[in-house]
Amino acid sequence: MKIFSILILSLLFFSFSCTEEENIDPIQTTEEESVSMDVVEMEVFKLINNHRIMIGLEALSHNDLVYIQAKTHSESMASGETDFGHDGFSERVSLIREKLSIGTVGENVAYNFSNKPAEKVFDQWMDSEGHRKNIENPKFTHGGIAMKKSGNGAYYFTHLLIEQK
């Protein structure tokens, strides 16, 4: 009887533990966590910096404020809230200028459905004269690269580059 009572109590305790865990939202993140770059974004940043170094330029430094603006734009494009392109570019620049002393600003956007999205977006930008010019501009000192995957599987990228003074 004692063993049976312990077994029943153990089952009740286990049931309540599972129920409580099911009510916890495992996807909750803090604002600080949502600012960190993901693996794909870091890979693109690394590819761009390796290219800049290879051609004799300084590597870009990551800037969180610039990254947040890039992330917001990628999220807007991926959700369909904003058309693919540079809509809102001047607003993003204004928000950055409120907090940082900057000169020249550039922006690259792209999307792809590749199973290697970082390599694909790097190739897309390098194959485009205007995008490549931004990447190879020696005035740019800092940047932020953000990516958001849409519901249909497209990866939307925004790369903001700034000349920080």
Side-chain angles (χ1 to χ4, degrees):
M1 182 70 173
K2 187 175 182 180
I3 292 176
F4 182 72
S5 296
I6 292 173
L7 183 60
I8 295 294
L9 286 174
S10 296
L11 287 173
L12 285 173
F13 177 75
F14 182 71
S15 296
F16 288 120
S17 295
C18 290
T19 304
E20 288 174 15
E21 287 179 18
E22 289 172 0
N23 291 332
I24 296 171
D25 182 3
I27 302 176
Q28 289 178 347
T29 58
T30 66
E31 188 174 317
E32 185 175 293
E33 289 173 303
S34 66
V35 172
S36 64
M37 294 172 69
D38 79 3
V39 174
V40 174
E41 294 164 339
M42 286 189 283
E43 180 63 20
V44 178
F45 206 77
K46 179 179 164 189
L47 289 167
I48 287 172
N49 274 337
N50 287 344
H51 174 77
R52 286 177 59 93
I53 291 166
M54 187 179 74
I55 63 169
L57 297 175
E58 294 287 324
L60 297 171
S61 296
H62 174 81
N63 181 287
D64 284 341
L65 181 64
V66 175
Y67 171 76
I68 290 167
Q69 291 305 312
K71 190 71 169 179
T72 300
H73 187 54
S74 290
E75 289 171 349
S76 293
M77 290 188 297
S79 71
E81 181 182 322
T82 302
D83 290 335
F84 172 75
H86 299 283
D87 289 350
F89 175 67
S90 58
E91 288 85 359
R92 286 187 288 287
V93 173
S94 293
L95 289 169
I96 295 168
R97 282 190 199 283
E98 287 176 10
K99 306 269 185 185
L100 299 173
S101 176
I102 59 174
T104 305
V105 179
E107 178 177 79
N108 291 339
V109 296
Y111 73 93
N112 66 61
F113 291 88
S114 177
N115 62 347
K116 295 184 178 180
E119 294 169 15
K120 179 67 175 176
V121 75
F122 176 74
D123 291 342
Q124 288 173 295
W125 285 337
M126 295 309 293
D127 291 342
S128 164
E129 185 180 341
H131 295 102
R132 186 181 191 117
K133 244 181 174 172
N134 277 342
I135 290 169
E136 295 179 351
N137 187 333
K139 286 185 176 182
F140 293 132
T141 59
H142 293 75
I145 296 174
M147 179 274 303
K148 179 67 176 175
K149 189 174 182 180
S150 71
N152 70 356
Y155 294 90
Y156 284 84
F157 290 87
T158 304
H159 182 202
L160 280 166
L161 307 98
I162 64 166
E163 173 190 17
Q164 190 166 349
K165 295 182 172 189

